Amino acid sequence: MLNPIKSWFSKRDVQTWRTAVAAMRREYTGEPLTEEAAGANPLELFERWYAEAAEQSLFDANAFVLSTVSENRPHARVVLLKGFDERGLVFYTNYESDKARQIDANPEVALTFNWPESFRQLRIEGTASRISGAESDAYFNARPAESNLSAVISPQSRPVESRQWLEEKQEALKTELQVSGKPLERPANWGGYRIMPKYWEFWQGRTGRLHDRIAFIPDASRPNTWKTQRLAP
């Protein structure tokens, strides 16, 4: 994408990227998203889209923007999806972090996946709740050791005096474990949340900006079923 912009720079009197950003454009040539292709189950469509994104993505296909609301202010950050099934979508964090405190105060959240290689986006709205300690233990024990060291020593979202302070805390814990020979246990303030979707919106980029958008909303007349709506791009 950058080469056309650099060429655009050379042909015009442009001084900064602030001017050039409006010229950054590409055509979205995704496959059609029809109602037939979408099907009746949003989780099944999500699984198909995720499988394709995992094969095509240059980076983390499981990355999504998690949006929360606290005191009438929106907050957003990128986190990693670590599991999904009929019960919902799971991610992990420090339970004393900003995002966790915001979720505990208001469990209504929104998720946004962006898969640019396939010209796709996905929006989900739902309710978040903590998963069981046993589930969090199983995931924690499967993580790389360095990741768990960081999870234990980090006062996530809190100010710290320096990078060196964090590294020294991590090294001290590593040494302590080596001397004691004890395994590192999951701290009580770290674990997972499961988000139960109540709205799904699949977006497929198409040519000429005439995109496909199909939303799944609960069917009030039939429990545990969904109905679809096509939305204008």
Side-chain angles (χ1 to χ4, degrees):
M1 184 186 294
L2 287 178
N3 286 336
I5 300 303
K6 290 179 179 178
S7 175
W8 190 85
F9 259 124
S10 66
K11 295 177 182 178
R12 293 167 176 80
D13 183 17
V14 177
Q15 300 300 318
T16 71
W17 283 99
R18 298 181 187 182
T19 306
V21 67
M24 298 181 71
R25 184 175 301 276
R26 66 167 171 168
E27 193 65 72
Y28 298 140
T29 56
E31 294 294 322
L33 176 59
T34 64
E35 284 76 1
E36 292 73 21
N41 187 326
L43 182 64
E44 292 179 359
L45 179 57
F46 170 76
E47 187 164 13
R48 294 200 303 271
W49 275 27
Y50 180 77
E52 294 174 14
E55 293 181 354
Q56 299 171 5
S57 294
L58 298 177
F59 298 103
D60 299 319
N62 60 331
F64 66 91
V65 176
L66 172 69
S67 300
T68 54
V69 174
S70 173
E71 298 178 349
N72 293 322
R73 291 176 53 201
H75 305 266
R77 75 289 289 165
V78 177
V79 300
L80 297 177
L81 179 70
K82 288 299 179 178
F84 65 92
D85 56 25
E86 288 75 15
R87 297 172 298 166
L89 297 89
V90 176
F91 74 95
Y92 292 84
T93 189
N94 186 312
Y95 286 143
E96 296 173 359
S97 66
D98 285 347
K99 74 175 82 62
R101 290 186 294 108
Q102 290 158 9
I103 289 172
D104 291 344
N106 181 357
E108 299 302 310
V109 300
L111 293 65
T112 306
F113 289 87
N114 180 41
W115 296 309
E117 292 83 3
S118 52
F119 311 108
R120 288 172 174 168
Q121 292 182 51
L122 170 61
R123 294 179 53 232
I124 300 172
E125 297 172 5
T127 304
S129 59
R130 296 190 186 191
I131 66 175
S132 70
E135 288 180 274
S136 291
D137 284 341
Y139 176 69
F140 185 85
N141 294 333
R143 279 162 48 100
E146 292 290 326
S147 297
N148 284 342
L149 288 170
S150 297
V152 171
I153 64 94
S154 174
Q156 194 174 81
S157 302
R158 302 295 184 270
V160 296
E161 59 187 66
S162 65
R163 169 81 186 189
Q164 180 180 353
W165 182 86
L166 288 169
E167 292 175 347
E168 288 175 352
K169 284 201 67 174
Q170 187 180 57
E171 192 60 33
L173 178 58
K174 184 186 298 185
T175 300
E176 177 186 331
L177 293 170
Q178 290 173 344
V179 171
S180 68
K182 295 180 180 179
L184 184 61
E185 296 184 354
R186 178 183 66 88
N189 68 344
W190 191 96
Y193 283 95
R194 175 173 287 108
I195 300 164
M196 186 62 183
K198 56 180 73 172
Y199 176 84
W200 304 71
E201 184 183 313
F202 295 83
W203 182 97
Q204 175 67 73
R206 301 290 305 280
T207 58
R209 299 299 191 260
L210 196 62
H211 311 305
D212 288 325
R213 291 173 64 188
I214 291 184
F216 287 80
I217 59 177
D219 188 340
S221 65
R222 294 183 298 168
N224 301 317
T225 59
W226 301 82
K227 59 181 179 181
T228 60
Q229 290 181 336
R230 176 169 289 272
L231 306 177

